[in-house]
Amino acid sequence: MGKFVLVLIVIFGLGACSGGYAPVAERSINSSSRNSNSLPLPASGSYRVRKGDTLYSIAWRYSLDYRELARLNNIDSRYLIYVGQALRLQGAQPAVTKTSPARASLPLVVVPLSGDGSDGAGSGTAQAGSTGSNAVSVQDKPRAPTTAVRAPVKPQVVPAQKLTWRWPAEGPLLNGFSSTATKGINIAGKAGDPVIAAGPGRVVYAGDGLRGYGILVIINHNQEFLSAYAHNSRVFVKENDMVNGGDKIAEVGSSGAARDMLHFEIRRDGQPVDPLRYLPKR
């Protein structure tokens, strides 16, 4: 009897493996062991800054509005943070000194150091120059400067009402948006296919410090909207670079994913929204 049961288990197990289909999203972004999208706030209610972090990447990790995170920690519009700093992630907002609109629209971000992989991702931050000839792959990670870099004054971040979106890659759609799973869309592609900026703005993160995203680029379009481009094989931009919609910022890869593809997200005021509501119809 025991042998008969064992045979049945083996047969059903083989049938499940050969006939089943594992969605791409579940094997890449959705896996609970690798997904940074759904990380709950720490029990302590605080987060200690690590190498490679920026205020934007920390806010992204916990689906927070980076402006609220800054106000909560009395961080001014330069958005400077330092390794070892403890940031409050929840609680009453402390009083802060008001800044002028001009300063608020031109934030500073910290150029991250090489990451130490403590978040469960790669061993460092993948960065590159702003031209294709200076592309940096995940195997070639130079040490970034340790000082903050002031963002250029021009061009300005595009106002919300003037922002026009475009598709970040040409491949077919693999799966749509889910507020509890992917929190974005997956677009098929081949390694080396171009990834373009979905709109004009400032690069506020370029690295591999967010678990589940591989090599990631985040663009701040107008303080209301951010967009993210994950699983790249190479990136061609660095923090504080200004980009126009349609500029090549990376190449499709499989970093942090089970296949070559682009994972694309749009967040409005820190919360994931369906990119298909904003991208033009195909």
Side-chain angles (χ1 to χ4, degrees), residues 182-204:
T182 60
K183 300 193 175 181
I185 59 175
N186 291 336
I187 303 172
K190 301 187 301 294
D193 284 352
V195 174
I196 67 170
R202 187 191 313 281
V203 177
V204 294

Side-chain angles (χ1 to χ4, degrees), residues 199-221:
R202 187 191 313 281
V203 177
V204 294
Y205 182 79
D208 62 354
L210 272 72
R211 184 174 55 199
Y213 285 99
I215 305 177
L216 173 71
V217 175
I218 301 176
I219 296 176
N220 179 5
H221 297 285

Side-chain angles (χ1 to χ4, degrees), residues 171-185:
L173 187 67
L174 292 174
N175 63 274
F177 173 80
S178 168
S179 60
T180 58
T182 60
K183 300 193 175 181
I185 59 175

Side-chain angles (χ1 to χ4, degrees), residues 60-136:
W60 194 277
R61 180 181 287 116
Y62 296 106
S63 294
L64 301 173
D65 187 330
Y66 69 94
R67 297 164 298 181
E68 293 296 327
L69 182 59
R71 284 193 284 268
L72 185 63
N73 290 276
N74 282 324
I75 296 173
D76 64 23
S77 59
R78 296 175 298 168
Y79 302 142
L80 297 177
I81 59 176
Y82 56 87
V83 173
Q85 180 180 3
L87 296 180
R88 297 171 57 196
L89 302 180
Q90 59 186 7
Q93 294 186 19
V96 296
T97 303
K98 293 183 178 180
T99 57
S100 66
R103 288 181 59 83
S105 65
L106 295 171
L108 294 181
V109 296
V110 173
V111 175
L113 302 172
S114 296
D116 58 3
S118 56
D119 188 55
S123 59
T125 299
Q127 298 185 359
S130 58
T131 62
S133 61
N134 293 325
V136 176

